[in-house]
């Protein structure tokens, strides 16, 4: 049995927060933010809108595009670092409930910005083992709830949003997800963290930006080299290179080092900022909705985040129709 990437969906909240919002409140400029990050604006969820609310909207679109009945889903995975509740219930349980699923296995994945690639890896393993047939994977974040809006070095980077995909069993080898690689190194945990409830500190995200930047470029680049080598593939085999959308300068440095052409690179950071686990599925959805992603196209996903965690994936887009 193989696992296929069958459909994609995404949802972004309505409120657009431009760089001007930050300029009005702290010592920064639009020019600095654009030059150092490539970000022009990001989406912000409303007060009563939680991560599960964003995730369920993305999930509904992915399910509808897969052409399956919601009850055919037998596993729900939600990658998030901004869950509705601290530890329980999981955001995956809430999304499953909102979809009317009351028996499917559901759990969250904590792998920061690499969360969607981790979810893809887990979904692939469950499907290939024959344990599950249709897995709903979601990357959903309300990062505005864990961002410190007094810290000008991090707050302008992040936004809210969600993306979701359906991973289904297939006997057609040509539709199979080719490979997913996931790694972690807790020794580098201090680069990016959110203090725990027992720490006495506020639960706001903290980041050593400049150090993280350098590790991100190195790791994202070497991971692509490894996954291509392992699968005896080259840049020319890739239709779309979809890196985690953290900073335009990181994406440019990695794509230049790997010699990807402009038509292969996917960029959404300018309009959504960094949405952590949601950034890759939101970017895939952007390509789908603009007609850039077509049936049979080969995608290369490349993610990096707190933990540290990192991962990459090689897969073909295999929609039902
Ligand atoms: O998603 C997980 C992974 N996340 C990432 O990969 C993010 C990685 N880091 C970054 O994207 C970048 O490091 C930042 C965008 C956060 C910062 O850019 P940078 O080029 O690394 O700047 P820096 O931290 O070295 O700061 C340069 C200067 C400093 O001033 P001095 O010390 O040179 O006088 C900062 O105080 O820029 C100053 N600065 C700002 N100035 C205006 C920092 N934040 C701001 C700001 N506006 N918002």
């Amino acid at each position: 049995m193989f696992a296929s990437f069958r459909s994609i969906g995404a949802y972004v909240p309505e409120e657009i927060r431009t760089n001007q919002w930050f300029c009005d409140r702290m010592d920064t400029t639009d020019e600095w933010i654009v030059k150092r990050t490539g970000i022009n604006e990001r989406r912000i969820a409303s007060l009563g809108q939680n991560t599960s609310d964003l995730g369920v909207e993305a999930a509904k679109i992915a399910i509808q595009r897969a052409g399956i009945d919601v009850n055919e889903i037998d596993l729900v995975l939600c990658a998030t670092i901004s869950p509705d509740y601290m530890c329980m219930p999981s955001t995956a349980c809430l999304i499953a409930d909102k979809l009317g699923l009351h028996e499917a296995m559901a759990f969250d994945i904590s792998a920061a910005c690499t969360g969607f690639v981790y979810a893809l890896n887990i979904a692939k393993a469950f499907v290939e083992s024959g344990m599950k047939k249709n897995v709903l994977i979601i990357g959903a974040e309300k990062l505005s709830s864990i961002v410190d809006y007094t810290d000008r070095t991090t707050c302008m980077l992040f936004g809210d949003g969600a993306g979701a995909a359906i991973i289904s069993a297939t006997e057609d080898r040509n539709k199979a997800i080719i490979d997913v690689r996931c790694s972690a190194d807790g020794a580098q945990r201090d680069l990016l963290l959110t203090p725990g409830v027992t720490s006495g500190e506020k639960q706001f995200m903290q980041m050593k930006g400049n150090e993280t930047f350098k590790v991100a470029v190195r790791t994202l680049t070497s991971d692509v080299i490894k996954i291509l080598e392992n699968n005896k593939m080259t840049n020319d085999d890739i239709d779309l290179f979809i890196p985690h959308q953290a900073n335009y300068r990181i994406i440019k440095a990695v794509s230049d080092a790997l010699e990807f052409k402009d038509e292969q690179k996917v960029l959404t950071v300018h309009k959504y900022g960094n949405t952590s686990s949601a950034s890759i599925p939101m970017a895939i959805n952007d390509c789908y909705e603009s007609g850039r992603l077509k049936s049979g196209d080969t995608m290369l996903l490349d993610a990096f985040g707190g933990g540290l965690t990192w991962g990459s994936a090689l897969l073909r887009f295999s929609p039902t129709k």
Side-chain angles (χ1 to χ4, degrees), residues 81-124:
I81 51 165
S82 47
D84 290 25
Y85 291 89
M86 191 58 73
C87 299
M88 60 180 178
S90 71
T91 305
C93 281
L94 303 178
I95 293 173
D97 174 49
K98 287 174 187 181
L99 289 170
L101 274 173
H102 300 291
E103 271 192 50
M105 182 179 183
F107 64 95
D108 282 0
I109 293 158
S110 172
C113 308
T114 319
F116 187 78
V117 176
Y118 268 57
L120 186 67
N121 203 353
I122 297 165
K124 178 176 182 284

Side-chain angles (χ1 to χ4, degrees), residues 28 32 36-37 113 152-153 209-210 244 247 249-250 274:
T28 192
W32 191 95
R36 299 286 178 134
T37 71
C113 308
R152 71 169 184 160
T153 66
N210 200 266
H244 169 49
N247 182 319
R249 285 158 54 221
I250 296 178
N274 181 347

Side-chain angles (χ1 to χ4, degrees), residues 22 26-29 32-33 35-37 39 112-113 151-158 192 205 207-217 220 244-250 274-276 304-306 308:
F22 298 87
M26 59 198 76
D27 183 16
T28 192
T29 60
W32 191 95
I33 299 173
K35 198 169 157 207
R36 299 286 178 134
T37 71
I39 300 168
C113 308
D151 176 6
R152 71 169 184 160
T153 66
T154 57
C155 68
M156 74 300 172
L157 294 171
F158 299 99
L192 264 161
M205 211 186 317
M207 180 173 69
K208 293 181 180 160
N210 200 266
E211 271 178 75
T212 308
F213 187 104
K214 288 172 195 155
V215 182
V217 171
L220 287 164
H244 169 49
Q245 306 286 314
N247 182 319
Y248 171 71
R249 285 158 54 221
I250 296 178
N274 181 347
T275 56
S276 191
F304 170 89
L308 292 181

Side-chain angles (χ1 to χ4, degrees), residues 14 27-28 31 41 101 170 225 261 264 303:
E14 273 173 36
D27 183 16
T28 192
E31 192 198 356
E41 57 189 43
L101 274 173
T170 178
I225 293 169
K261 300 183 191 94
Q264 293 172 297

